[in-house]
Amino acid sequence: MFLYDAYHRAEIIRAGIIPAELVYLNESYEPAVVGIDPSRNVYSHIIGTDIVRVGVDDFYVLEDNCRTPSGVSYMLENREIMMRMFPTLFGKRHIEPVEAYPALLRKTLASVAPAKCDGDPTLVILSPGPLNSAYYEHSFLADQMGADLVEGQDLLVDNDRVWMRTTRGPQRVEVIYRRIDDAYLDPLCFRPDSLLGVPGLMNVYRSGGVSICSAPGAGGATLMLGGQRKCGGARLFLMYSEGNFIEATEDTPYLQIGEHKYGKPILDRVVTTETPLNEAVKAALLSMDSTLRSNLSVGMPLDLAVLPTDACAFSERRRIDADDAGFHSLSDAWSQSLRDAFQSIT
C-alpha cells in the first residue's frame, strides 16, 4: 500500500519512482505519523468517491476523498424518500438496497479495533460540533449505528487509553470515527490552538491503545505520475491511496487533483490530444483562474511545470505569485472575452 510505504521505508521514493518532494512537501503529509502502524495496516477505512456516468459503459472518477468524506446520510435519506414517493418504480426494477450501510460501517469500524481491545469495542463519532455543516450526518450515523456522538471535550486521555465522559463515569473508547481534519485532532501534536481535538490522543494512537478512522495522514495520498520511457509514448496516471489508478486516454487527455469543478469546463471544451503544448498550458492556467475566482478557499501561488514529449527536462518550471503581471493579463483577457462572447449571443 502506498500510504504504508510513504510513512515507513519509502521504497517507492528510494527507487526513484516518485520524487521525494511530491510526498514530503505535500501539505497533507504528516511527519507525526511516520513509523506508526495503524490497526491491520488500514489507513482509509471510509472513502468518498465521486463517479459520473458519461456513456453506456463508461464511468469517470471526479474526486476521491479518503480522509473525512461526507454525504452518505443524504444518499440514505434520499433513497427512503424516493421509495415512499415511487413505490411502484422500486417494485418493478431491481435496485440495489442501501439501508444496510450503517450496519456495514459499524462492522468495518469494529474490525479495526486495536489489539489491546478485550471484548466488543466501544465506538464513537468525533464531531466538531453542531456548527459544522455536516453535523446532521454525524448525528444521523451515530443514531443509525448505535454509536456515541462526541466532541473533543467529551473525551480524555489517561493511562495510555482514551476515555469518554459519561454520567456513569469514564468509559474506555477503542475506535474513533473522526469527522475532523488531522490538524485539529490533538493540540499537543498538531495545531496547538485547536479546541476540537483531544490532548494526548496521538500518544494513545501511537501506542496501539485506540484506532482512528480514517488514519491520520491519510488525506494526502492522491497524486499524479507522468512521464515516458525511451522510444515509448508519454503516459499520465492518477493514483489513489488504495493502490488503484486511472490513466489519461484519447477521450480523457488530462487528469486533475483537488478542487476543479469550477475550471474543469474550460478544459473539457478546449483540450484534446491534438492541442499544442503552449495552448494546453494556457488552458490549464485559465482553468485555475476560474477556480480561484469561484472558490475562496483556493489561492495563489501556482506552480507551473511543463514537460514536452521526448524531453528529459522541463521546458518551463516556475512559481506564479499573486502579483504576476502575465497571469493577471491572461485573466483579464479571458474575462473580457467571456463578456464579449456573452453579449454576442442572441
Side-chain angles (χ1 to χ4, degrees):
M1 177 184 288
F2 171 74
L3 277 174
Y4 186 87
D5 183 53
Y7 285 115
H8 288 78
R9 291 186 55 81
E11 296 290 353
I12 196 170
I13 297 173
R14 294 168 184 263
I17 298 174
I18 293 180
E21 60 268 21
L22 290 184
V23 176
Y24 299 137
L25 297 183
N26 189 298
E27 63 179 10
S28 296
Y29 180 78
E30 295 291 359
V33 303
V34 170
I36 297 179
D37 295 330
S39 180
R40 299 192 177 219
N41 289 338
V42 177
Y43 283 84
S44 299
H45 308 78
I46 301 97
I47 301 167
T49 303
D50 291 342
I51 300 177
V52 295
R53 187 172 189 170
V54 297
V56 177
D57 299 312
D58 296 323
F59 296 83
Y60 289 172
V61 176
L62 296 182
E63 185 177 21
D64 204 34
N65 188 333
C66 56
R67 181 168 46 188
T68 53
S70 62
V72 70
S73 63
Y74 307 109
M75 177 270 292
L76 295 172
E77 290 286 57
N78 179 68
R79 174 61 67 85
E80 183 177 350
I81 294 173
M82 290 288 289
M83 291 181 69
R84 291 180 183 178
M85 295 180 62
F86 306 103
T88 304
L89 175 63
F90 281 83
K92 292 181 178 180
R93 297 287 186 270
H94 178 70
I95 300 176
E96 193 72 21
V98 297
E99 62 267 15
Y101 177 85
L104 293 174
L105 176 58
R106 182 180 179 89
K107 182 179 180 181
T108 297
L109 296 174
S111 71
V112 293
K116 294 181 180 181
C117 176
D118 50 358
D120 294 332
T122 298
L123 281 62
V124 300
I125 297 179
L126 178 59
S127 169
L131 296 181
N132 185 267
S133 60
Y135 186 73
Y136 164 76
E137 175 162 297
H138 307 165
S139 176
F140 175 84
L141 290 177
D143 180 63
Q144 294 293 308
M145 288 197 302
D148 289 287
L149 180 62
V150 300
E151 299 177 33
Q153 61 190 353
D154 300 318
L155 302 178
L156 62 95
V157 169
D158 184 52
N159 196 27
D160 283 335
R161 294 290 190 276
V162 177
W163 303 83
M164 173 174 54
R165 294 183 171 92
T166 75
T167 56
R168 301 179 301 277
Q171 179 180 355
R172 198 164 72 186
V173 173
E174 283 85 15
V175 180
I176 298 176
Y177 178 24
R178 53 86 170 236
R179 299 301 295 262
I180 63 178
D181 288 341
D182 293 352
Y184 303 97
L185 273 177
D186 182 349
L188 299 183
C189 184
F190 301 114
R191 286 186 54 159
D193 60 343
S194 172
L195 300 177
L196 303 177
V198 184
L201 174 61
M202 288 300 296
N203 285 335
V204 183
Y205 176 64
R206 187 176 292 105
S207 69
V210 69
S211 292
I212 303 176
C213 308
S214 290
T222 301
L223 55 91
M224 282 193 211
L225 177 64
Q228 99 185 98
R229 293 181 176 180
K230 187 176 181 180
C231 301
R235 302 179 70 182
L236 178 64
F237 300 89
L238 181 59
M239 303 168 60
Y240 298 105
S241 59
E242 298 74 32
N244 57 313
F245 63 88
I246 57 176
E247 182 178 3
T249 66
E250 287 279 339
D251 295 327
T252 56
Y254 64 87
L255 298 172
Q256 290 175 278
I257 291 178
E259 179 60 87
H260 58 256
K261 58 179 173 286
Y262 303 104
K264 186 174 181 293
I266 299 170
L267 301 178
D268 285 336
R269 289 173 169 82
V270 173
V271 177
T272 70
T273 55
E274 303 301 322
T275 302
L277 189 56
N278 64 317
E279 293 293 304
V281 170
K282 181 167 65 174
L285 291 176
L286 291 176
S287 173
M288 286 304 305
D289 176 64
S290 296
T291 299
L292 289 166
R293 285 175 173 267
S294 301
N295 188 344
L296 296 179
S297 67
V298 180
M300 305 291 277
L302 304 177
D303 289 311
L304 173 66
V306 182
L307 182 64
T309 302
D310 299 325
C312 296
F314 293 109
S315 63
E316 183 178 4
R317 190 174 186 180
R318 63 188 177 94
R319 170 157 290 190
I320 302 173
D321 294 307
D323 57 354
D324 188 279
F327 184 77
H328 279 288
S329 176
L330 185 67
S331 175
D332 292 341
W334 175 245
S335 296
Q336 186 60 51
S337 297
L338 286 177
R339 286 191 289 267
D340 293 343
F342 179 80
Q343 293 296 330
S344 68
I345 297 174
T346 58

